[in-house]
Amino acid sequence: MAERQDERGPRALGEVPASESSDVPDGGAAQAGLPAVDRRSFLTLMGLTIAAGTLSGCRAPRKKIIPYLHQPPEATPGVARWYATTCHGCSASCGALAKVMDGRPIKLEGNPDHAMSKGGLCAAGQGSIVGLYDPYRQRGPTESGASVTWERVDSEIGQHLADARRQQRKVVVLTSSVSGPSTRALISEFLAGFPHGRHVVHDAISYDAMREAHRRVYGQPLVPGYRFDRAEVIVSFGADFLGTWLSPVEFAKQYSAGRNLAHPDSAMSRHYHVESRMSLTGSNADIRYGVAPSEQGAYVAAVAAAIGREGGHAGPATGALAAAATPSLSPEAARRVETMAAALRAARGRSLVVSDSDDVSVQVAVLALNEALGNTGRTVDLARPSLQKQGSDAEMSLLVDEMRRGEVGVLIVHACNPAYTFARAGEFAEALGKVACAVSMATVPDETARAATWHCPSHHSMEAWGDAEPHAGSYSLFQPTIRPLYRTRAFEDNLLKWQGKGERFHSYLRRHWQTRLFPRQREFATFDAFWDGMLQRGYLELAASPPPPAPRLRAEAAAALREIAGRPMAASGLELEVYEPVALRDGSDANNPWLQELPDPLTKITWDNYAAISPALAREKGIEDGQWVTVRGSAGSARAPSVVLPAHIQPGQHPRTVSIALGYGRKQAGPVGSGVGVNAYPLVAMQGPRRSRRGIAIEIAATDGPDGRVHPFARTQIHDTMDERPLVRQATYAEFRKGLHPESFSEEEKRADLWDRHEYPEYQWSMAIDLTRCVGCSACVTACDIENNVPVVGPKEVARQREMHWMRIDRYYTGGNDDPGVLYEPLMCQHCDNASCETVCPVLATEHDNQGLNVQVYNRCVGTRYCANNCPYKVRRFNWFNNIKNDPTRSLALNPDVTVRSRGVMEKCSLCIQRIQAARIKARTEGRLVRDGEVKTACEQSCPADAIVFGNLKDPNSRVSRQGATERSFRLLEELNRRPAVCYMAKVRNTEDEA
C-alpha cells in the first residue's frame, strides 16, 4: 500500500492522528453512563488533550493517495512509453521519439525510421525538452501584464477582429516559417475572412537571398533539398551545414555516410570549405581556405568561370559560365580556385556546391554552377525542396512601415520574436504600440510579448497536436505527451475560436490528413488505420513532384556573374560577420541552462558571446584574449550601432574579419538567459530589401568593460594543443589506402602488469568512436546531460573548472595559428581494466564489476578526490554543491532511472548503466543474452554522424569488436597500461596534394 511521508516520518494510509482519537470523555459519554472521573484525572486528561492538539497542529496537512483499483494496461509505473513526434529544437523538424515516464516526457531521441534524422538529434533538439518544464513559462493569458480569463480574451480580441473587418483595416498573422501543412491551411482560412488579411513570415536567420535566386531562375522562391551523401566532392562557401545551416542533423548523417571507412577500399568524399571564421563545418573540411566576407562572391564567380572555360554539363548554364569574366584575384587565390574547379570537373554529377551568402547574385552563381556540373536532380533536389526558412525580409519591412502608419488593426505574433531578432527591432517594438490589437502567443514572456497588449501563451510542442512538412512530400506528426501544465491554449485552437468555429485543432488536423494526404497513399485501406499507423510511425513519405523548369537560367546567371566580377574588392579594412551558434541558435532558448553551459565546439566558451579575432589582428591592435573591445560601423558604412564585448583570439580566423555570435544579450529571456552576453542582432544590416549578416565595414578598439579590463571566460578547455603527444592519431587518405600500422606494445610490456586480470563471464561492455565520422557537434554532450541528470553549475563555477559534464569533446589545434587543423575527440570515463581510481580510493567507492564497468557507490564516497587526481583522462567530476535545486517544475524533467547526486560525491560516465540493466533484465526474462545493438548509450543514440558504437567485447561478431580490431583502432594513453574499454578510430583526411 502506498504511503505518505511527512516531516515526522512515514505513516500508513488510514492512520488516525491523535487529535482524532482522543481518550478524553465528553458530556455525551458521561450521559451515556460511562464511569465518572475525579478532578485529578480530569486535569491530567485535559493537559494531554491540549498537548496533543498543539502537536497535531504542527503536522503537515494529510492527503490520501488513492491507488489504482484496476491498473490500466498501458500504464505501468516505472516503465517508459515512447511516442512518435517531431522535434521543435529548430526549423528542421526532424523526426523524433519522446520518452514518457509516469505521465511526463523526460527525453527526446531521433526516430531511426525517419528519412531525415535516421535516429540522430542535435544538441538543440536534445535540450528542447527542458523548455517544457521552464518555470519562466507564461502561466495564462494577460492584458497589459495583468492576468485575465480566456473568456475575456476571446471577447475582446473577437471584437477587435470584427472592428478590423468592418473598418477595412489590415489583419496580419506574423509567424516564423510554418512547416505544418495543416497549420498553413488554417492560417489561410482564418485570413480569408478579412478583406486585408495577410500572413507575414519572419525568420531570425534570413535565407531570403537563396529563395530570391531560385525565384529568378525557376519562377518559384524555394530552398532546395541537398544530398551530401551522393557527393564525392563538396565545395561550401561559408555554409555551416554540420552546425546550423538549414538541416544539420540530416546533413551530418549524409556527410558521415560519405566518410565511412569500413575497409581500405572505402571511398571518401573530398570537402573544400571557403569561409571567414572558423566554423564547425570548416574545422571538419579536408581543405579549408580563409577569405574575407567581401571576397566570397569573387571566389564563387572565379570557380564558375573556370568551370565554364573547360566546359561543364550540357545546358544553358554552361554557356553562361563560359562567357563569364574572371574576377581579378591574387596568385594564391587563383591557385585555390583552380584546385576547387579541377576537383569539381572530375566529379561532374557527383559534386555539390553550397553557399550561405546573403547576396542574390552569389546564390544565382552557385545555382548555375550546380546546373553546369549536372548536380541538379542528383545532389541538388528541386523535386523535394526544403519548406523551412520561408521568411521574406521585404514583407517584414513593409509590415513595420504599415504598423507605424497605423494601418494594422490586429497583429497576431506566433513562434517568432521580432522585437529581438529583426534588424529593425527597435522600430518594430515602437510601431507595435500603434497597433490597435497586438497579440503575442509566445510560450514565455519574451521581448515581443512584453511590448504587445495581449499575451495569449500557446502550448509547448510536447503538449500540442500538429504536423510538419520539412521537405515537400515528407510529412510528420506530433502529438501531446502530457496534459498542458498551465492555462495555455494552442495557436491553432485560438484561430479556430476567433473564427467562431466550435471544433478543436485535433479534429481539424485529422480532417486535413483525411482529405489531403490519405488519398495520396496506398498502404492503408481505411483512414482510421492510416491515422493510427501515422501516430505510431510518426511520418509519411509521398511521391515527389517534378522539379520546376529553369527558363531564365542563362540570362540570370550571366547577369549575376557580370555583377560580381565588376565589384571592387576591398584590400584592407575590417569586416563583420555575425553567425548562429551551435548551442543557442537564434536565441529563442536562451533560458535553457543546459544549452547555455554547452561549450562552443571551437572556443570551448560557455555562457557568453564574444568578438572572435585572428591572432594577427590581436597583435596589430594590441588586444589580449578576454579584453573588452568596442565594435562599431566605419564611416560611410551601413548603419550599425556599436557594441562592447570581450574579444577572443581565434586561430583560423581571417585577419580582416571579426565574428560575433547571435542569440545572446536577451532582455526578456528569463532568469537564466537575461543579460547573458551581448545582443548582436542590431549589427545585422539592411542592404536594400534584405538583411545581411556579413561584409559590414567596422572598426574595433580596446576599451574598459563592466568587470575590468579583461573578462574571465567560462571555458571548459584551456589547453589547445596536444604538445606532441599522440592523443589523437590521424592519417591522410592515401596513407589509409596503403595500410596503417599503429604503434603497439611489445609482448613483454603487455605481460608487465601490477593488476589482477578481471573475469567477464557474459559481458564486457566497450565503446568505439570513429574520429573520421565525428564532427564535434556536441549533440552527445547534451544527450548525456539530459539522460543522466547532469547538473548545471553556472559560469562562475565553469570558470573554476568545476563543470559537471560526464562527457566532453576535446578540441586540438595542429599546425600554425593562422591556418590550423582541428581534431575532435569525445572523452568520457574510459572504464579501464587497470583503473588507477580503483587503486587509490580509500573507501572502495569506485569498483570494477563483472561487466567491465567502473562503477560508483555514491553512499561510500567521502569526497577525498584521490580518484580524480590519479585519473589520467580527467573525466571524474566532484560535486561541490547541491546543484539540482528543489524546483518542483524543473525536477519533472529528471530521469527517475538515474540517481540524483548530492554534494560531496564523485561522479562520472556510467556508460548508461540504467540502459544496460534494462536490456539485461529483458534478455534474462526471455532466456537469452543481450543482442548486439540492443543497448544504445545516450551519446550513441543521439549522434547525428553515427560515430559512436557500443557493445559487448565478449561477442567477437559485435560491431564494437570488429571496429576495435581494425588497423585504425587505438586506445588513449596506451603507454600508461590502463587498458581502457573505449577505443578510437584514427582521423583520416584528404589533403590538397592528393586531389
Side-chain angles (χ1 to χ4, degrees), residues 575-652:
E575 300 178 18
L576 177 69
E577 177 182 18
V578 293
Y579 64 94
E580 191 177 12
V582 169
L584 288 193
R585 304 297 295 266
D586 62 9
S588 57
D589 289 326
N591 205 50
N592 188 326
W594 277 267
L595 294 180
Q596 286 278 10
E597 199 154 298
L598 180 68
D600 180 88
L602 271 302
T603 67
K604 298 303 174 184
I605 294 175
T606 66
W607 294 95
D608 236 329
N609 64 341
Y610 37 82
I613 62 175
S614 69
L617 181 60
R619 290 191 299 269
E620 177 187 338
K621 299 287 186 179
I623 298 174
E624 303 175 21
D625 194 74
Q627 185 171 355
W628 289 90
V629 295
T630 300
V631 178
R632 63 170 58 89
S634 299
S637 71
R639 184 189 63 83
S642 64
V643 296
V644 177
L645 73 171
H648 170 66
I649 301 175
Q650 174 61 54

Side-chain angles (χ1 to χ4, degrees), residues 323-369:
T326 303
S328 177
L329 297 175
S330 67
E332 174 62 20
R335 184 193 63 80
R336 294 174 173 181
V337 165
E338 185 52 43
T339 299
M340 291 186 286
L344 289 170
R345 284 195 296 265
R348 292 187 180 92
R350 306 182 309 281
S351 59
L352 177 60
V353 183
V354 294
S355 171
D356 71 340
S357 176
D358 297 320
D359 189 321
V360 177
S361 295
V362 172
Q363 291 291 354
V364 170
V366 169
L367 184 158
L369 259 173

Side-chain angles (χ1 to χ4, degrees), residues 665-732:
R666 295 282 307 275
K667 294 182 179 179
Q668 301 292 340
V672 172
S674 293
V676 176
V678 175
N679 183 10
Y681 278 106
L683 299 175
V684 177
M686 292 297 299
Q687 295 184 348
R690 289 175 196 87
R691 289 175 285 167
S692 177
R693 294 183 290 117
R694 56 179 56 81
I696 305 162
I698 58 164
E699 295 175 350
I700 186 172
T703 187
D704 291 329
D707 52 0
R709 184 170 181 271
V710 177
H711 176 67
F713 286 124
R715 298 181 63 181
T716 59
Q717 182 180 345
I718 57 177
H719 198 75
D720 294 332
T721 65
M722 294 185 288
D723 288 335
E724 300 182 357
R725 297 171 296 169
L727 300 180
V728 180
R729 297 185 182 177
Q730 57 179 326
T732 67

Side-chain angles (χ1 to χ4, degrees), residues 51 66 88 116 204 254 280 329 343 365 387 438 495 514 519 533 590 594 638 674 683 725 730 821 853 886 969 975:
I66 307 300
H88 284 74
M116 284 177 54
Q254 298 172 358
L280 179 68
L329 297 175
L387 297 182
L495 295 188
Q514 184 172 10
W594 277 267
S674 293
L683 299 175
R725 297 171 296 169
Q730 57 179 326
L853 301 179
N886 188 23
S969 175
E975 63 272 20

Side-chain angles (χ1 to χ4, degrees), residues 383-384 469 472-475 520-521 540-546:
R384 289 189 183 275
E469 188 185 7
S474 299
Y475 301 88
R520 297 170 57 188
Q521 57 84 43
L540 172 68
E541 291 287 327
L542 296 178
S545 303

Side-chain angles (χ1 to χ4, degrees), residues 471-605:
H471 288 279
S474 299
Y475 301 88
S476 61
L477 282 169
F478 57 95
Q479 54 186 314
T481 55
I482 189 174
R483 296 185 66 181
L485 298 178
Y486 307 118
R487 290 190 305 118
T488 57
R489 193 160 70 188
F491 163 71
E492 295 85 355
D493 282 328
N494 280 327
L495 295 188
L496 289 168
K497 185 76 173 179
W498 299 339
Q499 273 184 283
K501 295 185 177 181
E503 69 175 334
R504 302 292 298 274
F505 182 62
H506 173 246
S507 302
Y508 185 95
L509 178 69
R510 278 180 56 98
R511 190 171 71 252
H512 182 92
W513 278 58
Q514 184 172 10
T515 57
R516 304 286 182 87
L517 303 183
F518 174 65
R520 297 170 57 188
Q521 57 84 43
R522 296 292 179 266
E523 183 179 356
F524 297 93
T526 66
F527 175 72
D528 287 339
F530 168 73
W531 182 254
D532 292 342
M534 292 304 99
L535 288 177
Q536 184 175 14
R537 182 190 299 169
Y539 68 93
L540 172 68
E541 291 287 327
L542 296 178
S545 303
R552 293 183 51 80
L553 175 59
R554 186 185 186 102
E556 291 293 340
L561 291 169
R562 281 197 306 270
E563 195 270 330
I564 296 172
R567 294 176 187 170
M569 285 194 299
S572 61
L574 297 180
E575 300 178 18
L576 177 69
E577 177 182 18
V578 293
Y579 64 94
E580 191 177 12
V582 169
L584 288 193
R585 304 297 295 266
D586 62 9
S588 57
D589 289 326
N591 205 50
N592 188 326
W594 277 267
L595 294 180
Q596 286 278 10
E597 199 154 298
L598 180 68
D600 180 88
L602 271 302
T603 67
K604 298 303 174 184
I605 294 175

